[in-house]
Amino acid sequence: MDEKSQLVKLSKENGEPSWLTKRRLAAQESIPQLSMPKMEHFHSGDLNFNNSQENFGTDAMGNEKVIEDFETNLIQFGTNTIQTNLSAEMADKGVVLIDLFDAFRDLPDFMHKYFMAEVIKGDENKLNAEHLAYLNSGVLLYLPKNVVLNDPIEIKLIQDSTKKLNWYQHLLIIADDNSSCRFLQHLTTVGQESNIANMMVEIIAKPGSHVEFSSVEELSSNTTFYFDRHAKIEKDAHVEWSIGLTNSCNTLGEIDSELIGEGSYANSQLISITDGEQKNFINNRVTNRGPHSTGLINQRGVLLDRSKLIFNGIGQIVHGAHGSKADQQNRVLMMSPDARGDANPLLLIDENDVIAAHAASVGPVDPIQMNYLMSRGIPYAQAQRLVIRGFLGAVLDALPDKDVRKKMIDILERKLINGQKYQTN
């Protein structure tokens, strides 16, 4: 059976609306004509996104008891949603948190309006087209107007690498007028097979809404990871990104905040730790389109062993966005002479009445800090970790949720211990 027939079969088995089937087929047909995502200092040969692995199929069930967690609102294992658990508060307020394919069946008009229509397009590049064509898992979160949640929404997304199956996962968040929530996703991998993880997040923050999006990530070294996380932020809406890229895999990704409304606000914070032969290429972009909007970027990376990390910070203020602010910091700490790190700030300003600034640095551990700690009897390896924690503190301390902050610190500590080259004086 050819891929077109397989796509039609998959779409029918999922009970998808006809418009989605047509969009899948159009995306699949366009893949050969599209190029890879464009990113400074990234070349298509740097990472292998050859999708010759299995793109069709479902995961076997039977892992429910292993990963059951009733404090989590939703758990997906590969292509299957195995647990949903909305609190009474969320259910009473009309919050919708469901499997993406249930949303296609039950809310076809709503999904036609929002899914890869306003924020991320399936024809932007080759990997986006593959995502739309081979989509096999996802989640919809909808917050009704004026709903303010006191408790965070937490989901766990688990890549099934017990077999050959690429993971095309999509998260769609719609925050209606004046709604507010804290959202945490935790990414992990089960199994040792080599697969692609192609994951997208679309956030539509309507006027006056507030979304705090956090992601704690631990995908395995056998994964090749592509992500596109994009927010459309309307009048007086706020979106805050807090991303902990502590995966062990090669990664290509983009965080993009579009400030389209007057008074809109985005704060994009990211931490990345790389080790071994790992390669990470990250675009962090904020575009001020609405007047009096504010776009902030703060990203920090730590490199161990022979790893490579490229940070591109892009702040753009378009003509008409008067009274706006764009500020970014891109800092990289080199823990090994064999590592390669770049921090590339870029400001694109097309308006006069604005505030714009950037900072960037790439360098090794400060020997004065190390000598001070070691003179107090702290072993070299532990002193290194303390310096790194201090370096990352500017981002960690700014995380709005203390539980997210603790989870990120725990994972960072584990990765630093596992990837650290112990040295002696």
Side-chain angles (χ1 to χ4, degrees):
M1 186 182 296
D2 62 20
E3 282 203 348
K4 180 177 180 180
S5 299
Q6 286 180 293
L7 282 174
V8 172
K9 180 176 181 290
L10 175 66
S11 190
K12 287 181 178 178
E13 290 174 349
N14 289 335
E16 296 171 8
S18 59
W19 61 263
L20 180 55
T21 305
K22 292 177 182 177
R23 289 175 62 184
R24 279 185 182 274
L25 293 171
Q28 195 279 328
E29 187 175 350
S30 70
I31 291 171
Q33 285 77 47
L34 294 173
S35 59
M36 290 289 288
K38 291 181 172 60
M39 185 176 295
E40 290 292 325
H41 304 288
F42 168 75
H43 305 284
S44 59
D46 290 329
L47 302 179
N48 180 18
F49 282 99
N50 184 344
N51 73 332
S52 60
Q53 305 292 341
E54 181 61 54
N55 291 319
F56 302 98
T58 58
D59 299 310
M61 300 295 283
N63 296 279
E64 298 93 326
K65 292 183 179 179
V66 176
I67 56 177
E68 189 176 86
D69 181 356
F70 289 102
E71 294 183 357
T72 300
N73 300 111
L74 183 144
I75 297 176
Q76 284 190 344
F77 184 83
T79 64
N80 296 305
T81 297
I82 64 173
Q83 176 182 306
T84 54
N85 179 39
L86 278 183
S87 68
E89 177 202 11
M90 296 175 189
D92 291 344
K93 291 182 176 181
V95 174
V96 176
L97 181 68
I98 57 174
D99 183 285
L100 195 71
F101 291 97
D102 289 339
F104 286 133
R105 288 187 291 268
D106 300 341
L107 305 166
D109 293 338
F110 180 90
M111 296 299 289
H112 184 262
K113 179 179 180 181
Y114 291 115
F115 172 73
M116 295 190 76
E118 293 188 6
V119 183
I120 297 176
K121 301 294 180 62
D123 59 358
E124 291 178 7
N125 58 62
K126 184 185 294 289
L127 298 183
N128 284 24
E130 289 181 2
H131 180 91
L132 176 55
Y134 306 124
L135 179 72
N136 57 15
S137 65
V139 178
L140 166 68
L141 169 63
Y142 171 69
L143 298 173
K145 290 182 179 179
N146 303 313
V147 167
V148 177
L149 297 182
N150 298 315
D151 296 327
I153 295 175
E154 182 173 353
I155 71 171
K156 292 184 179 179
L157 304 176
I158 304 167
Q159 179 188 24
D160 181 7
S161 286
T162 62
K163 63 180 180 180
K164 296 285 189 182
L165 182 63
N166 290 332
W167 194 28
Y168 297 93
Q169 212 282 344
H170 196 99
L171 173 61
L172 176 61
I173 298 176
I174 312 293
D176 220 326
D177 296 9
N178 301 309
S179 62
S180 177
C181 77
R182 291 174 291 147
F183 182 92
L184 169 63
Q185 70 170 14
H186 187 188
L187 310 182
T188 58
T189 302
V190 172
Q192 299 299 319
E193 292 287 354
S194 297
N195 286 311
I196 292 170
N198 182 321
M199 308 185 72
M200 295 192 177
V201 176
E202 295 184 284
I203 298 177
I204 298 176
K206 295 196 172 183
S209 63
H210 191 150
V211 177
E212 296 177 9
F213 179 95
S214 302
S215 184
V216 180
E217 308 182 4
E218 298 181 277
L219 298 181
S220 76
S221 59
N222 290 327
T223 300
T224 304
F225 184 30
Y226 169 68
F227 69 82
D228 188 352
R229 295 164 181 165
H230 199 131
K232 175 186 175 184
I233 308 169
E234 300 185 17
K235 186 178 188 304
D236 295 324
H238 286 211
V239 170
E240 299 187 39
W241 304 94
S242 302
I243 310 297
L245 278 176
T246 53
N247 305 297
S248 298
C249 56
N250 292 333
T251 300
L252 173 67
E254 180 160 6
I255 303 171
D256 198 334
S257 303
E258 291 275 343
L259 296 160
I260 65 170
E262 182 173 3
S264 53
Y265 174 94
N267 187 7
S268 187
Q269 302 185 100
L270 182 146
I271 288 171
S272 179
I273 310 290
T274 58
D275 59 13
E277 303 285 343
Q278 188 178 355
K279 299 177 182 178
N280 280 9
F281 302 87
I282 309 298
N283 266 359
N284 202 337
R285 179 194 304 269
V286 178
T287 305
N288 299 68
R289 300 190 184 278
H292 305 289
S293 56
T294 300
L296 309 176
I297 296 171
N298 188 4
Q299 50 189 358
R300 301 204 172 202
V302 177
L303 290 86
L304 305 166
D305 304 323
R306 292 187 295 276
S307 61
K308 180 177 181 178
L309 172 64
I310 307 295
F311 274 158
N312 296 312
I314 306 165
Q316 181 176 7
I317 301 178
V318 305
H319 184 68
H322 55 270
S324 293
K325 178 181 179 180
D327 185 81
Q328 61 172 288
Q329 294 189 42
N330 310 273
R331 302 192 185 278
V332 173
L333 184 64
M334 312 289 289
M335 302 300 296
S336 165
D338 299 320
R340 178 188 169 189
D342 288 315
N344 305 302
L346 180 63
L347 289 176
L348 305 171
I349 310 301
D350 194 23
E351 184 57 75
N352 293 319
D353 179 24
V354 298
I355 299 173
H358 66 78
S361 65
V362 177
V365 172
D366 186 344
I368 296 176
Q369 292 178 331
M370 288 294 295
N371 289 335
Y372 176 83
L373 292 171
M374 293 175 67
S375 70
R376 267 62 181 171
I378 298 174
Y380 186 89
Q382 185 179 350
Q384 272 195 334
R385 295 199 299 275
L386 289 173
V387 170
I388 292 170
R389 282 280 299 276
F391 172 75
L392 299 176
V395 175
L396 291 171
D397 293 344
L399 296 179
D401 191 300
K402 64 179 182 180
D403 293 331
V404 173
R405 184 161 59 247
K406 183 179 184 303
K407 287 181 181 179
M408 283 197 183
I409 290 172
D410 290 344
I411 293 170
L412 286 168
E413 189 72 11
R414 287 202 303 271
K415 180 155 187 179
L416 288 173
I417 291 173
N418 292 336
Q420 192 176 46
K421 282 187 172 180
Y422 289 92
Q423 303 173 23
T424 58
N425 261 350

PDB file of all heavy atoms in Angstrom, residues 255-284:
ATOM      1  N   ILE A 255      11.199  28.514  19.197  1.00  0.00           N
ATOM      2  CA  ILE A 255      10.147  29.116  20.012  1.00  0.00           C
ATOM      3  C   ILE A 255       9.847  30.469  19.389  1.00  0.00           C
ATOM      4  O   ILE A 255      10.754  31.277  19.169  1.00  0.00           O
ATOM      5  CB  ILE A 255      10.594  29.280  21.468  1.00  0.00           C
ATOM      6  CG1 ILE A 255      11.024  27.942  22.056  1.00  0.00           C
ATOM      7  CG2 ILE A 255       9.483  29.889  22.307  1.00  0.00           C
ATOM      8  CD1 ILE A 255      11.685  28.064  23.410  1.00  0.00           C
ATOM      9  N   ASP A 256       8.581  30.730  19.102  1.00  0.00           N
ATOM     10  CA  ASP A 256       8.203  31.928  18.354  1.00  0.00           C
ATOM     11  C   ASP A 256       6.985  32.569  19.019  1.00  0.00           C
ATOM     12  O   ASP A 256       5.935  31.936  19.150  1.00  0.00           O
ATOM     13  CB  ASP A 256       7.889  31.556  16.907  1.00  0.00           C
ATOM     14  CG  ASP A 256       7.926  32.761  15.976  1.00  0.00           C
ATOM     15  OD1 ASP A 256       7.706  33.880  16.451  1.00  0.00           O
ATOM     16  OD2 ASP A 256       8.189  32.575  14.773  1.00  0.00           O
ATOM     17  N   SER A 257       7.141  33.818  19.453  1.00  0.00           N
ATOM     18  CA  SER A 257       6.048  34.549  20.089  1.00  0.00           C
ATOM     19  C   SER A 257       5.668  35.737  19.208  1.00  0.00           C
ATOM     20  O   SER A 257       6.489  36.622  18.969  1.00  0.00           O
ATOM     21  CB  SER A 257       6.467  35.043  21.474  1.00  0.00           C
ATOM     22  OG  SER A 257       6.879  33.965  22.294  1.00  0.00           O
ATOM     23  N   GLU A 258       4.425  35.743  18.743  1.00  0.00           N
ATOM     24  CA  GLU A 258       3.913  36.818  17.894  1.00  0.00           C
ATOM     25  C   GLU A 258       3.028  37.731  18.740  1.00  0.00           C
ATOM     26  O   GLU A 258       1.923  37.356  19.134  1.00  0.00           O
ATOM     27  CB  GLU A 258       3.100  36.242  16.731  1.00  0.00           C
ATOM     28  CG  GLU A 258       3.923  35.496  15.700  1.00  0.00           C
ATOM     29  CD  GLU A 258       4.527  36.420  14.658  1.00  0.00           C
ATOM     30  OE1 GLU A 258       4.063  37.577  14.546  1.00  0.00           O
ATOM     31  OE2 GLU A 258       5.447  35.982  13.952  1.00  0.00           O
ATOM     32  N   LEU A 259       3.542  38.919  19.031  1.00  0.00           N
ATOM     33  CA  LEU A 259       2.813  39.893  19.841  1.00  0.00           C
ATOM     34  C   LEU A 259       1.969  40.755  18.910  1.00  0.00           C
ATOM     35  O   LEU A 259       2.397  41.805  18.448  1.00  0.00           O
ATOM     36  CB  LEU A 259       3.813  40.743  20.629  1.00  0.00           C
ATOM     37  CG  LEU A 259       4.647  39.973  21.661  1.00  0.00           C
ATOM     38  CD1 LEU A 259       5.902  40.751  22.032  1.00  0.00           C
ATOM     39  CD2 LEU A 259       3.829  39.670  22.899  1.00  0.00           C
ATOM     40  N   ILE A 260       0.756  40.300  18.639  1.00  0.00           N
ATOM     41  CA  ILE A 260      -0.048  40.987  17.632  1.00  0.00           C
ATOM     42  C   ILE A 260      -0.983  42.039  18.217  1.00  0.00           C
ATOM     43  O   ILE A 260      -1.481  42.897  17.500  1.00  0.00           O
ATOM     44  CB  ILE A 260      -0.877  39.985  16.800  1.00  0.00           C
ATOM     45  CG1 ILE A 260      -1.906  39.278  17.661  1.00  0.00           C
ATOM     46  CG2 ILE A 260       0.033  38.966  16.118  1.00  0.00           C
ATOM     47  CD1 ILE A 260      -2.905  38.469  16.859  1.00  0.00           C
ATOM     48  N   GLY A 261      -1.219  41.998  19.530  1.00  0.00           N
ATOM     49  CA  GLY A 261      -2.160  42.923  20.142  1.00  0.00           C
ATOM     50  C   GLY A 261      -1.474  44.006  20.947  1.00  0.00           C
ATOM     51  O   GLY A 261      -0.365  43.837  21.455  1.00  0.00           O
ATOM     52  N   GLU A 262      -2.142  45.137  21.083  1.00  0.00           N
ATOM     53  CA  GLU A 262      -1.611  46.230  21.894  1.00  0.00           C
ATOM     54  C   GLU A 262      -1.472  45.769  23.342  1.00  0.00           C
ATOM     55  O   GLU A 262      -2.366  45.126  23.906  1.00  0.00           O
ATOM     56  CB  GLU A 262      -2.531  47.441  21.825  1.00  0.00           C
ATOM     57  CG  GLU A 262      -2.019  48.639  22.602  1.00  0.00           C
ATOM     58  CD  GLU A 262      -2.848  49.897  22.396  1.00  0.00           C
ATOM     59  OE1 GLU A 262      -3.864  49.811  21.674  1.00  0.00           O
ATOM     60  OE2 GLU A 262      -2.478  50.944  22.960  1.00  0.00           O
ATOM     61  N   GLY A 263      -0.333  46.083  23.953  1.00  0.00           N
ATOM     62  CA  GLY A 263      -0.114  45.719  25.339  1.00  0.00           C
ATOM     63  C   GLY A 263       0.180  44.253  25.574  1.00  0.00           C
ATOM     64  O   GLY A 263       0.218  43.805  26.728  1.00  0.00           O
ATOM     65  N   SER A 264       0.405  43.490  24.526  1.00  0.00           N
ATOM     66  CA  SER A 264       0.695  42.062  24.688  1.00  0.00           C
ATOM     67  C   SER A 264       2.103  41.869  25.238  1.00  0.00           C
ATOM     68  O   SER A 264       2.975  42.739  25.118  1.00  0.00           O
ATOM     69  CB  SER A 264       0.518  41.322  23.363  1.00  0.00           C
ATOM     70  OG  SER A 264       1.262  41.934  22.334  1.00  0.00           O
ATOM     71  N   TYR A 265       2.337  40.666  25.828  1.00  0.00           N
ATOM     72  CA  TYR A 265       3.579  40.432  26.559  1.00  0.00           C
ATOM     73  C   TYR A 265       4.032  38.996  26.358  1.00  0.00           C
ATOM     74  O   TYR A 265       3.224  38.059  26.445  1.00  0.00           O
ATOM     75  CB  TYR A 265       3.346  40.702  28.046  1.00  0.00           C
ATOM     76  CG  TYR A 265       4.496  40.362  28.977  1.00  0.00           C
ATOM     77  CD1 TYR A 265       5.424  41.322  29.357  1.00  0.00           C
ATOM     78  CD2 TYR A 265       4.623  39.069  29.498  1.00  0.00           C
ATOM     79  CE1 TYR A 265       6.467  41.014  30.229  1.00  0.00           C
ATOM     80  CE2 TYR A 265       5.666  38.755  30.366  1.00  0.00           C
ATOM     81  CZ  TYR A 265       6.579  39.724  30.734  1.00  0.00           C
ATOM     82  OH  TYR A 265       7.600  39.418  31.591  1.00  0.00           O
ATOM     83  N   ALA A 266       5.324  38.810  26.098  1.00  0.00           N
ATOM     84  CA  ALA A 266       5.912  37.470  26.003  1.00  0.00           C
ATOM     85  C   ALA A 266       7.239  37.463  26.730  1.00  0.00           C
ATOM     86  O   ALA A 266       8.062  38.370  26.563  1.00  0.00           O
ATOM     87  CB  ALA A 266       6.098  37.059  24.540  1.00  0.00           C
ATOM     88  N   ASN A 267       7.460  36.408  27.508  1.00  0.00           N
ATOM     89  CA  ASN A 267       8.736  36.205  28.196  1.00  0.00           C
ATOM     90  C   ASN A 267       9.183  34.784  27.897  1.00  0.00           C
ATOM     91  O   ASN A 267       8.562  33.827  28.349  1.00  0.00           O
ATOM     92  CB  ASN A 267       8.585  36.417  29.692  1.00  0.00           C
ATOM     93  CG  ASN A 267       9.925  36.390  30.418  1.00  0.00           C
ATOM     94  OD1 ASN A 267      10.981  36.338  29.797  1.00  0.00           O
ATOM     95  ND2 ASN A 267       9.883  36.430  31.740  1.00  0.00           N
ATOM     96  N   SER A 268      10.244  34.650  27.117  1.00  0.00           N
ATOM     97  CA  SER A 268      10.688  33.342  26.638  1.00  0.00           C
ATOM     98  C   SER A 268      11.997  32.969  27.318  1.00  0.00           C
ATOM     99  O   SER A 268      13.051  33.517  27.004  1.00  0.00           O
ATOM    100  CB  SER A 268      10.858  33.383  25.118  1.00  0.00           C
ATOM    101  OG  SER A 268      11.136  32.111  24.607  1.00  0.00           O
ATOM    102  N   GLN A 269      11.911  32.013  28.257  1.00  0.00           N
ATOM    103  CA  GLN A 269      13.072  31.596  29.041  1.00  0.00           C
ATOM    104  C   GLN A 269      13.417  30.146  28.726  1.00  0.00           C
ATOM    105  O   GLN A 269      12.533  29.289  28.706  1.00  0.00           O
ATOM    106  CB  GLN A 269      12.785  31.750  30.530  1.00  0.00           C
ATOM    107  CG  GLN A 269      12.412  33.170  30.914  1.00  0.00           C
ATOM    108  CD  GLN A 269      12.251  33.331  32.404  1.00  0.00           C
ATOM    109  OE1 GLN A 269      13.147  33.821  33.089  1.00  0.00           O
ATOM    110  NE2 GLN A 269      11.126  32.916  32.928  1.00  0.00           N
ATOM    111  N   LEU A 270      14.696  29.893  28.507  1.00  0.00           N
ATOM    112  CA  LEU A 270      15.113  28.562  28.085  1.00  0.00           C
ATOM    113  C   LEU A 270      16.458  28.215  28.691  1.00  0.00           C
ATOM    114  O   LEU A 270      17.358  29.058  28.760  1.00  0.00           O
ATOM    115  CB  LEU A 270      15.183  28.504  26.552  1.00  0.00           C
ATOM    116  CG  LEU A 270      15.549  27.178  25.908  1.00  0.00           C
ATOM    117  CD1 LEU A 270      14.817  27.018  24.582  1.00  0.00           C
ATOM    118  CD2 LEU A 270      17.058  27.070  25.656  1.00  0.00           C
ATOM    119  N   ILE A 271      16.593  26.959  29.126  1.00  0.00           N
ATOM    120  CA  ILE A 271      17.851  26.394  29.602  1.00  0.00           C
ATOM    121  C   ILE A 271      18.161  25.175  28.745  1.00  0.00           C
ATOM    122  O   ILE A 271      17.277  24.368  28.471  1.00  0.00           O
ATOM    123  CB  ILE A 271      17.750  25.983  31.076  1.00  0.00           C
ATOM    124  CG1 ILE A 271      17.710  27.221  31.980  1.00  0.00           C
ATOM    125  CG2 ILE A 271      18.906  25.079  31.481  1.00  0.00           C
ATOM    126  CD1 ILE A 271      17.398  26.899  33.420  1.00  0.00           C
ATOM    127  N   SER A 272      19.416  25.033  28.336  1.00  0.00           N
ATOM    128  CA  SER A 272      19.822  23.854  27.577  1.00  0.00           C
ATOM    129  C   SER A 272      21.140  23.321  28.137  1.00  0.00           C
ATOM    130  O   SER A 272      22.081  24.090  28.357  1.00  0.00           O
ATOM    131  CB  SER A 272      19.992  24.188  26.094  1.00  0.00           C
ATOM    132  OG  SER A 272      20.408  23.056  25.366  1.00  0.00           O
ATOM    133  N   ILE A 273      21.184  22.006  28.376  1.00  0.00           N
ATOM    134  CA  ILE A 273      22.402  21.329  28.807  1.00  0.00           C
ATOM    135  C   ILE A 273      22.743  20.282  27.750  1.00  0.00           C
ATOM    136  O   ILE A 273      21.908  19.438  27.415  1.00  0.00           O
ATOM    137  CB  ILE A 273      22.217  20.616  30.165  1.00  0.00           C
ATOM    138  CG1 ILE A 273      21.608  21.566  31.196  1.00  0.00           C
ATOM    139  CG2 ILE A 273      23.534  20.041  30.648  1.00  0.00           C
ATOM    140  CD1 ILE A 273      22.509  22.649  31.647  1.00  0.00           C
ATOM    141  N   THR A 274      23.945  20.333  27.203  1.00  0.00           N
ATOM    142  CA  THR A 274      24.355  19.359  26.194  1.00  0.00           C
ATOM    143  C   THR A 274      25.594  18.609  26.663  1.00  0.00           C
ATOM    144  O   THR A 274      26.457  19.174  27.341  1.00  0.00           O
ATOM    145  CB  THR A 274      24.654  20.038  24.843  1.00  0.00           C
ATOM    146  OG1 THR A 274      25.686  21.019  25.025  1.00  0.00           O
ATOM    147  CG2 THR A 274      23.418  20.722  24.287  1.00  0.00           C
ATOM    148  N   ASP A 275      25.684  17.331  26.278  1.00  0.00           N
ATOM    149  CA  ASP A 275      26.859  16.542  26.644  1.00  0.00           C
ATOM    150  C   ASP A 275      27.151  15.526  25.539  1.00  0.00           C
ATOM    151  O   ASP A 275      26.419  15.423  24.556  1.00  0.00           O
ATOM    152  CB  ASP A 275      26.677  15.859  28.002  1.00  0.00           C
ATOM    153  CG  ASP A 275      25.488  14.923  28.045  1.00  0.00           C
ATOM    154  OD1 ASP A 275      24.930  14.594  26.980  1.00  0.00           O
ATOM    155  OD2 ASP A 275      25.092  14.502  29.157  1.00  0.00           O
ATOM    156  N   GLY A 276      28.220  14.750  25.719  1.00  0.00           N
ATOM    157  CA  GLY A 276      28.604  13.755  24.724  1.00  0.00           C
ATOM    158  C   GLY A 276      28.843  14.399  23.375  1.00  0.00           C
ATOM    159  O   GLY A 276      29.515  15.426  23.254  1.00  0.00           O
ATOM    160  N   GLU A 277      28.254  13.792  22.329  1.00  0.00           N
ATOM    161  CA  GLU A 277      28.349  14.323  20.968  1.00  0.00           C
ATOM    162  C   GLU A 277      27.076  15.071  20.573  1.00  0.00           C
ATOM    163  O   GLU A 277      26.835  15.336  19.394  1.00  0.00           O
ATOM    164  CB  GLU A 277      28.573  13.167  19.977  1.00  0.00           C
ATOM    165  CG  GLU A 277      29.787  12.309  20.265  1.00  0.00           C
ATOM    166  CD  GLU A 277      31.086  13.003  19.897  1.00  0.00           C
ATOM    167  OE1 GLU A 277      31.032  13.980  19.136  1.00  0.00           O
ATOM    168  OE2 GLU A 277      32.147  12.546  20.368  1.00  0.00           O
ATOM    169  N   GLN A 278      26.275  15.439  21.538  1.00  0.00           N
ATOM    170  CA  GLN A 278      24.965  16.033  21.296  1.00  0.00           C
ATOM    171  C   GLN A 278      25.065  17.366  20.561  1.00  0.00           C
ATOM    172  O   GLN A 278      25.991  18.146  20.766  1.00  0.00           O
ATOM    173  CB  GLN A 278      24.276  16.236  22.648  1.00  0.00           C
ATOM    174  CG  GLN A 278      22.821  16.662  22.576  1.00  0.00           C
ATOM    175  CD  GLN A 278      22.225  16.792  23.981  1.00  0.00           C
ATOM    176  OE1 GLN A 278      22.863  16.488  24.984  1.00  0.00           O
ATOM    177  NE2 GLN A 278      20.979  17.232  24.041  1.00  0.00           N
ATOM    178  N   LYS A 279      24.071  17.635  19.687  1.00  0.00           N
ATOM    179  CA  LYS A 279      23.991  18.894  18.947  1.00  0.00           C
ATOM    180  C   LYS A 279      22.606  19.500  19.133  1.00  0.00           C
ATOM    181  O   LYS A 279      21.601  18.840  18.883  1.00  0.00           O
ATOM    182  CB  LYS A 279      24.242  18.672  17.452  1.00  0.00           C
ATOM    183  CG  LYS A 279      25.615  18.111  17.108  1.00  0.00           C
ATOM    184  CD  LYS A 279      25.727  17.868  15.608  1.00  0.00           C
ATOM    185  CE  LYS A 279      27.073  17.262  15.231  1.00  0.00           C
ATOM    186  NZ  LYS A 279      27.153  16.992  13.778  1.00  0.00           N
ATOM    187  N   ASN A 280      22.579  20.769  19.559  1.00  0.00           N
ATOM    188  CA  ASN A 280      21.322  21.502  19.717  1.00  0.00           C
ATOM    189  C   ASN A 280      21.385  22.805  18.927  1.00  0.00           C
ATOM    190  O   ASN A 280      22.349  23.566  19.052  1.00  0.00           O
ATOM    191  CB  ASN A 280      21.054  21.831  21.185  1.00  0.00           C
ATOM    192  CG  ASN A 280      20.491  20.657  21.969  1.00  0.00           C
ATOM    193  OD1 ASN A 280      20.453  19.537  21.474  1.00  0.00           O
ATOM    194  ND2 ASN A 280      20.067  20.913  23.193  1.00  0.00           N
ATOM    195  N   PHE A 281      20.344  23.051  18.125  1.00  0.00           N
ATOM    196  CA  PHE A 281      20.227  24.283  17.344  1.00  0.00           C
ATOM    197  C   PHE A 281      18.877  24.906  17.694  1.00  0.00           C
ATOM    198  O   PHE A 281      17.817  24.317  17.407  1.00  0.00           O
ATOM    199  CB  PHE A 281      20.287  24.003  15.845  1.00  0.00           C
ATOM    200  CG  PHE A 281      21.548  23.310  15.395  1.00  0.00           C
ATOM    201  CD1 PHE A 281      21.643  21.927  15.425  1.00  0.00           C
ATOM    202  CD2 PHE A 281      22.640  24.042  14.948  1.00  0.00           C
ATOM    203  CE1 PHE A 281      22.796  21.279  15.013  1.00  0.00           C
ATOM    204  CE2 PHE A 281      23.798  23.406  14.534  1.00  0.00           C
ATOM    205  CZ  PHE A 281      23.875  22.024  14.562  1.00  0.00           C
ATOM    206  N   ILE A 282      18.895  26.106  18.285  1.00  0.00           N
ATOM    207  CA  ILE A 282      17.666  26.692  18.818  1.00  0.00           C
ATOM    208  C   ILE A 282      17.485  28.122  18.311  1.00  0.00           C
ATOM    209  O   ILE A 282      18.390  28.951  18.438  1.00  0.00           O
ATOM    210  CB  ILE A 282      17.681  26.713  20.361  1.00  0.00           C
ATOM    211  CG1 ILE A 282      18.037  25.339  20.935  1.00  0.00           C
ATOM    212  CG2 ILE A 282      16.335  27.208  20.891  1.00  0.00           C
ATOM    213  CD1 ILE A 282      17.080  24.236  20.602  1.00  0.00           C
ATOM    214  N   ASN A 283      16.318  28.406  17.763  1.00  0.00           N
ATOM    215  CA  ASN A 283      15.864  29.769  17.491  1.00  0.00           C
ATOM    216  C   ASN A 283      14.883  30.176  18.588  1.00  0.00           C
ATOM    217  O   ASN A 283      13.930  29.438  18.860  1.00  0.00           O
ATOM    218  CB  ASN A 283      15.122  29.860  16.153  1.00  0.00           C
ATOM    219  CG  ASN A 283      16.033  30.267  15.014  1.00  0.00           C
ATOM    220  OD1 ASN A 283      17.215  30.507  15.188  1.00  0.00           O
ATOM    221  ND2 ASN A 283      15.468  30.334  13.816  1.00  0.00           N
ATOM    222  N   ASN A 284      15.112  31.328  19.191  1.00  0.00           N
ATOM    223  CA  ASN A 284      14.162  31.885  20.156  1.00  0.00           C
ATOM    224  C   ASN A 284      13.790  33.264  19.641  1.00  0.00           C
ATOM    225  O   ASN A 284      14.605  34.179  19.645  1.00  0.00           O
ATOM    226  CB  ASN A 284      14.809  31.956  21.542  1.00  0.00           C
ATOM    227  CG  ASN A 284      13.789  32.013  22.666  1.00  0.00           C
ATOM    228  OD1 ASN A 284      12.652  32.408  22.447  1.00  0.00           O
ATOM    229  ND2 ASN A 284      14.197  31.628  23.854  1.00  0.00           N
TER     230      ASN A 284
END
